[in-house]
Amino acid sequence: AYNSLEPIPITDTAPDMFRRILYYIYGGEISIIWMYDHAEEMIDAAFQYDIGTLKIEAETWYRIKVKLTIDNVVDCYQYAVSRQLKTQMKVIQAFVVENEAAILDMIPITNNPGFHTMVVDSLTESAEATRSSASRQLDEASQRNALSSTIDS
């Protein structure tokens, strides 16, 4: 236990980062240039200290800064999962679906379990969204047909 007059050492966050977090918590705005340049570190700190709004802001700059490619998509996915970046995970899943052929071509040459998890999660999410959309369309068509039959009777 710490005496209330003793300083509390913070050893897991750089002093500049911690100052900016405190500034943010007390209503300050972090410059967009700094946020862009330090998006990943800001996400890490916001995740560590459970500052949801800051994490969301930093995630926006991270998405702008980090361009998804076939080569970095697995690392980006693993980072998004580890930091619970829901929007980034959806962006990655859409990227995987858009680039399905190129990504599936990589399956035989990679032993990275994260790669396989990302592909399965993304394609499953896409299939569920497609199935849900098709189901809604069928329901709407059935309702139109039922209404049409009622009117014709």
Side-chain angles (χ1 to χ4, degrees), residues 1 8-9 27 32 35 42 47 56 86 115 123 132:
I8 298 171
I32 59 174
M35 189 73 87
M42 187 58 75
F47 180 78
I56 291 167
K86 292 179 179 18
F115 177 84
L123 296 179
S132 176

Side-chain angles (χ1 to χ4, degrees), residues 91-102:
V91 168
I92 291 169
Q93 289 170 343
F95 178 86
V96 169
V97 171
E98 282 177 24
N99 296 281
E100 180 179 353

Side-chain angles (χ1 to χ4, degrees), residues 16 20 29-42 57-58 61-62 64-65:
D16 187 46
R20 289 177 194 274
E29 290 187 25
I30 298 171
S31 81
I32 59 174
I33 294 169
W34 197 91
M35 189 73 87
Y36 177 86
D37 290 342
H38 302 279
E40 194 168 335
E41 298 106 314
M42 187 58 75
E57 282 185 48
W61 291 107
Y62 177 80
I64 292 167
K65 183 178 182 177

Side-chain angles (χ1 to χ4, degrees), residues 68-74 94-110 115-116 118-119 123:
L68 290 176
T69 66
I70 300 296
D71 295 327
N72 75 0
V73 70
V74 174
F95 178 86
V96 169
V97 171
E98 282 177 24
N99 296 281
E100 180 179 353
I103 289 172
L104 290 176
D105 284 346
M106 293 177 64
I107 287 177
I109 60 172
T110 183
F115 177 84
H116 297 282
M118 177 198 65
V119 170
L123 296 179

Side-chain angles (χ1 to χ4, degrees), residues 21 52 69 86 122 137 145:
I21 289 171
T69 66
K86 292 179 179 18
S122 297
Q137 289 173 351
N145 287 341

Side-chain angles (χ1 to χ4, degrees), residues 115-136:
F115 177 84
H116 297 282
T117 301
M118 177 198 65
V119 170
V120 169
D121 287 354
S122 297
L123 296 179
T124 301
E125 180 80 22
S126 174
E128 288 173 2
T130 301
R131 192 171 27 255
S132 176
S133 176
S135 177
R136 263 193 320 277

